[in-house]
Amino acid sequence: MALSRLASSSSGSNLLRPFASALSLTPSLRRPISSAADDSTTLTIETSLPFTSHNCEPPSRTLETTPKELMTFFRDMALMRRMEIAADSLYKAKLIRGFCHLYDGQEAVAIGMEAAITKKDCIITAYRDHCTFLGRGGTLLQVFAELMGRQAGSSKGKGGSMHFYKKDAGFYGGHGIVGAQIPLGCGLAFGQKYSKDETVTFALYGDGAANQGQLFEALNISALWDLPAILVCENNHYGMGTAEWRAAKSPAYYKRGDYVPGLKVDGMDVFAVKQACKFAKEHALKNGPIILEMDTYRYHGHSMSDPGSTYRTRDEISGVRQERDPIDRIRKLIFAHDLANEKDLKDIEKEVRKEVDEAIAQAKESPMPEPSELFTNIYVKGYGTESFGPDRKEIRTVLP
């Protein structure tokens, strides 16, 4: 299977890694923290693994955090996890139709990235976009309403799972064509450099899109013009049902830029992601593009039509859950610092479940889009364009 091939390959990523390295604390920091609410307390921790770099000096593994940030990371990732599990149930109940790609297992990438940047920075991604939208400030109601094709959705119910959008927070989608968002992201970075606003664009894509020609074309011109573009390969090790080693002669995606620096990151460690994204932003503003390869894993199949168990073993999936789960890593850090007990975290998970259930109930109450919405955002307004029936004898509507 793919796991054994990856584990035996010198260039492949080990999918399973022990939790012990995620709890690399100096002895003095093993003392209990008096109160999780004491935000003035600074905790010094190490990332689970060293960064592997290409044509650049890697950032430090050591970073600082606070009790508040740890608890926030736990809650936010638990919320994303619950949201995606609920989407699975809604899809099976046929309340969500069409394509639906879930993000559970990869939450650390979305959360760590947001922790390192601002809403003035831009993010553009592929179709596995629910959690990225939520991280950009979207609401649960907008998520579930969009998934169910309702007016309260982020795209007014017309985009569905693959086309979330939030321009006011620098989130530009949600794209269904494999790899097509990468040159768009580099275009956003061009606009940022032209405006001299000291912001960057994160263009996310999967390992399945990493062999696309448009990636290399966009990267070339970004490097020529020193654009503040950060290309993020979310390497979950399977492009649909194809293991990376079957699709890529060189699966070291962080090196794919050749003349562009790269960094390999443990994408299941939220602090490693945060540190890498902070480093990448500083680099891109001074020197131009950089590639980040996030070594992560999805628990669901490629989409809801894929059971996810025909090209990998159930033991592989459960092994990653036990050894590398991003939420459990934060849970262990919280316990190690005595910031909360098991009951406290279970209470948070109950609150999260309630929030998700309430949002679903509200989304179900939202009406379907009006038929006239089929024509909005397509034609220029104010020209009185007419829409006819199939025989062109009956005018169905005059567009605004």
Side-chain angles (χ1 to χ4, degrees):
M1 292 301 294
L3 176 59
S4 60
R5 180 67 174 268
L6 283 165
S8 64
S9 171
S10 60
S11 62
S13 302
N14 291 323
L15 296 179
L16 308 182
R17 294 194 180 94
F19 263 126
S21 58
L23 300 176
S24 299
L25 313 170
T26 58
S28 62
L29 290 173
R30 292 186 182 275
R31 295 192 301 270
I33 304 301
S34 58
S35 170
D38 183 7
D39 296 331
S40 62
T41 303
T42 300
L43 312 175
T44 303
I45 65 172
E46 282 191 342
T47 60
S48 55
L49 293 168
F51 298 100
T52 308
S53 63
H54 168 69
N55 286 348
C56 64
E57 288 295 323
S60 172
R61 288 183 64 187
T62 305
L63 67 153
E64 294 184 344
T65 186
T66 64
K68 181 179 180 180
E69 185 174 59
L70 271 169
M71 297 302 293
T72 300
F73 282 172
F74 177 83
R75 192 184 198 286
D76 289 349
M77 286 197 287
L79 184 66
M80 289 180 175
R81 180 72 56 86
R82 184 62 202 168
M83 178 183 77
E84 295 293 70
I85 291 172
D88 173 285
S89 298
L90 290 169
Y91 195 95
K92 290 172 179 174
K94 298 185 178 180
L95 290 170
I96 297 174
R97 300 283 188 147
F99 295 105
C100 186
H101 306 79
L102 302 181
Y103 201 73
D104 49 319
Q106 299 183 209
E107 299 91 350
V109 177
I111 293 297
M113 186 182 303
E114 285 294 343
I117 63 177
T118 73
K119 295 298 188 291
K120 291 183 180 179
D121 296 306
C122 298
I123 296 179
I124 188 168
T125 189
Y127 36 74
R128 207 177 302 277
D129 60 349
H130 313 158
C131 292
T132 310
F133 172 78
L134 197 67
R136 290 266 87 182
T139 67
L140 288 171
L141 173 58
Q142 289 175 315
V143 170
F144 287 115
E146 189 61 41
L147 288 172
M148 291 189 278
R150 310 300 177 105
Q151 287 184 16
S154 65
S155 300
K156 299 182 180 179
K158 298 189 294 180
S161 171
M162 300 195 292
H163 301 292
F164 283 73
Y165 189 80
K166 190 172 174 58
K167 185 179 179 181
D168 61 355
F171 182 56
Y172 290 87
H175 293 265
I177 304 300
V178 175
Q181 72 279 7
I182 302 168
L184 295 177
C186 293
L188 290 169
F190 176 81
Q192 290 168 323
K193 179 156 187 174
Y194 186 85
S195 301
K196 300 179 180 178
D197 56 9
E198 295 298 303
T199 57
V200 300
T201 292
F202 287 80
L204 282 64
Y205 58 97
D207 52 290
N211 299 313
Q212 286 270 325
Q214 56 191 326
L215 185 159
F216 300 97
E217 293 177 34
L219 188 61
N220 178 63
I221 200 164
S222 297
L224 280 172
W225 293 345
D226 294 329
L227 301 184
I230 300 164
L231 274 59
V232 182
C233 177
E234 293 186 278
N235 181 10
N236 59 29
H237 302 282
Y238 296 94
M240 298 186 72
T242 304
E244 60 177 350
W245 57 267
R246 295 181 62 200
K249 183 64 177 177
S250 171
Y253 299 109
Y254 69 103
K255 295 181 179 179
R256 288 291 194 86
D258 186 16
Y259 43 82
V260 172
L263 201 64
K264 186 172 183 178
V265 185
D266 183 356
M268 305 293 270
D269 177 354
V270 67
F271 287 109
V273 175
K274 177 186 175 182
Q275 187 81 328
C277 290
K278 179 182 176 183
F279 171 85
K281 179 176 178 178
E282 292 171 356
H283 172 95
L285 288 173
K286 293 178 183 177
N287 306 303
I290 185 171
I291 295 175
L292 300 180
E293 179 187 343
M294 300 292 180
D295 181 1
T296 186
Y297 198 82
R298 57 170 164 78
Y299 295 148
H300 267 85
H302 170 72
S303 68
M304 284 301 297
S305 62
D306 167 26
S309 57
T310 57
Y311 48 85
R312 56 183 183 174
T313 65
R314 295 190 183 277
D315 287 344
E316 177 184 312
I317 301 168
S318 62
V320 175
R321 281 184 181 273
Q322 292 170 15
E323 299 293 335
R324 298 185 64 205
D325 185 79
I327 299 176
D328 280 349
R329 280 182 164 171
I330 294 298
R331 189 192 309 270
K332 288 178 181 291
L333 280 170
I334 289 170
F335 291 160
H337 287 294
D338 199 22
L339 302 179
N341 56 36
E342 188 69 44
K343 182 181 181 302
D344 295 330
L345 298 189
K346 284 194 176 295
D347 287 343
I348 290 173
E349 290 172 330
K350 287 179 182 178
E351 291 173 9
V352 161
R353 182 186 290 264
K354 183 180 179 182
E355 281 185 39
V356 168
D357 290 345
E358 289 175 352
I360 291 171
Q362 292 176 30
K364 288 178 178 178
E365 294 299 316
S366 178
M368 296 289 183
E370 294 294 331
S372 60
E373 276 292 314
L374 284 170
F375 306 103
T376 58
N377 308 118
I378 296 176
Y379 299 103
V380 177
K381 292 183 178 180
Y383 283 83
T385 305
E386 297 175 337
S387 171
F388 292 86
D391 58 3
R392 295 193 61 81
K393 292 180 180 179
E394 178 188 358
I395 296 179
R396 293 292 179 88
T397 184
V398 178
L399 305 183

